[in-house]
Amino acid sequence: QSVLTQPPSASGTPGQRVTISCSGSSSNIGTNYVYWYQQLPGTPPKLLIYMNNQRPSGVPDRFSGSKSGTSASLAISGLRSEDEAHYYCASWDDSLKGPLFGGGTKLTVL
Amino acid sequence: EVQLLESGGGLVQPGGSLRVSCAASGFTFGSYAMSWVRQAPGKGLEWVSGISGSGSSTYYADSVKGRFTISRDNSKNTLYLQMNSLRAEDTAVYYCAKWSLVSPLFDYWGQGTLVTVSS
C-alpha cells in the first residue's frame, strides 16, 4: 500500500525531546531512503533530513532522523518555540514510481 | 542564491485550463531536474510532476496524468505546468522545486502560486 502514515499532531515543552514517526511499507520506506521536511506557518517546505539521517548545511544537530524496516522517525532535541511547524516525511515509492509524502504532523511547543 | 518564483495562478472554472510558470535563478537551470508539488488548503504535500534537466524525460502522478503537462525552456530558465480539464480537487498552492531525479529530494522551493478551481 502506497501510504506514509504520520501522527496528525505532536507536542512538547521547551527543552524537551520529541519524536515523530512515519510508517510505510516495503514499496517505499522498506527499500528507499527517507526524507523529512519542515514547513513553518505561511512558508514553503524546507528540507530537514535527507537519506534517512543526513542534515543539509545549516540544519541544527538538534534534528536527527532514523529508519528501521518500514518505519522512520524524526527526533528533535532541545525543543524551541521556533520548531513549531508541520513536519512531513517522504520516500520514493516503487509501486507509484514517484515521490510519496506522509500526511504531515503538526508540532506544538507548549 | 537559488531563487524560484512561481506565477500564473488564479481562479479558473471546472473543466478549464491554466498554465503556471516558475522562473529560476542562482543555479545552472538546465543541469537540474525540476518538479511541481502542490498543497491543497489546510492539507499535506502531494508531488504532481517532474522533468529532467534536458526536458527529455517527464514524470506524473496518477492524479494528473493525461491532464497536466510539464515542460521547460532552458534558454529562459523557466519551468511550466500546463493544466487542462481542471477539477475542484486540483485547487491548491503549486510549488516548483529543484528536484533530484527519481527521489523525494527537493532541496529548494519557491513561494508557491495559488490555483483555485471553482465556478
Side-chain angles (χ1 to χ4, degrees):
Chain A
Q1 189 178 5
S2 299
V3 174
L4 298 183
T5 302
Q6 298 180 237
S9 63
S11 63
T13 56
Q16 201 173 18
R17 181 178 187 271
V18 298
T19 61
I20 297 171
S21 62
C22 176
S23 177
S25 67
S26 58
S27 67
N28 41 67
I29 293 177
T31 50
N32 296 292
Y33 289 118
V34 178
Y35 298 72
W36 290 90
Y37 293 87
Q38 177 193 56
Q39 187 174 31
L40 298 170
T43 70
K46 169 192 168 185
L47 179 65
L48 200 61
I49 296 287
Y50 65 99
M51 291 174 65
N52 298 339
N53 54 20
Q54 303 299 303
R55 285 185 307 276
S57 173
V59 173
D61 59 6
R62 302 186 297 107
F63 296 90
S64 62
S66 64
K67 171 187 151 179
S68 178
T70 59
S71 294
S73 291
L74 172 71
I76 309 171
S77 60
L79 199 61
R80 297 182 174 187
S81 58
E82 56 260 39
D83 298 333
E84 192 160 283
H86 281 85
Y87 292 86
Y88 296 90
C89 61
S91 185
W92 182 265
D93 190 277
D94 294 330
S95 298
L96 295 178
K97 294 183 174 55
L100 185 63
F101 288 95
T105 298
K106 182 176 181 180
L107 175 64
T108 301
V109 181
L110 302 169
Chain B
E1 179 193 6
V2 172
Q3 290 193 336
L4 300 170
L5 184 62
E6 300 93 338
S7 61
L11 176 63
V12 60
Q13 291 190 338
S17 298
L18 196 67
R19 188 179 81 161
V20 292
S21 304
C22 172
S25 61
F27 65 104
T28 307
F29 182 68
S31 296
Y32 293 93
M34 298 292 293
S35 259
W36 291 97
V37 178
R38 69 184 180 184
Q39 186 170 34
K43 302 296 184 182
L45 302 171
E46 180 189 16
W47 174 76
V48 173
S49 181
I51 188 169
S52 62
S54 66
S56 61
S57 297
T58 57
Y59 309 81
Y60 297 95
D62 287 343
S63 58
V64 305
K65 201 171 292 183
R67 300 188 299 123
F68 290 11
T69 302
I70 191 172
S71 62
R72 63 192 298 160
D73 186 335
N74 287 345
S75 69
K76 295 182 178 179
N77 287 355
T78 302
L79 175 72
Y80 304 100
L81 185 67
Q82 176 69 43
M83 301 180 287
N84 299 331
S85 302
L86 282 162
R87 308 165 180 167
E89 54 264 36
D90 296 317
T91 294
V93 173
Y94 284 74
Y95 295 104
C96 74
K98 183 171 165 283
W99 182 41
S100 285
L101 204 63
V102 192
S103 90
L105 175 54
F106 308 96
D107 52 356
Y108 292 94
W109 299 65
Q111 291 298 311
T113 187
L114 177 62
V115 173
T116 303
V117 183
S118 175
S119 55

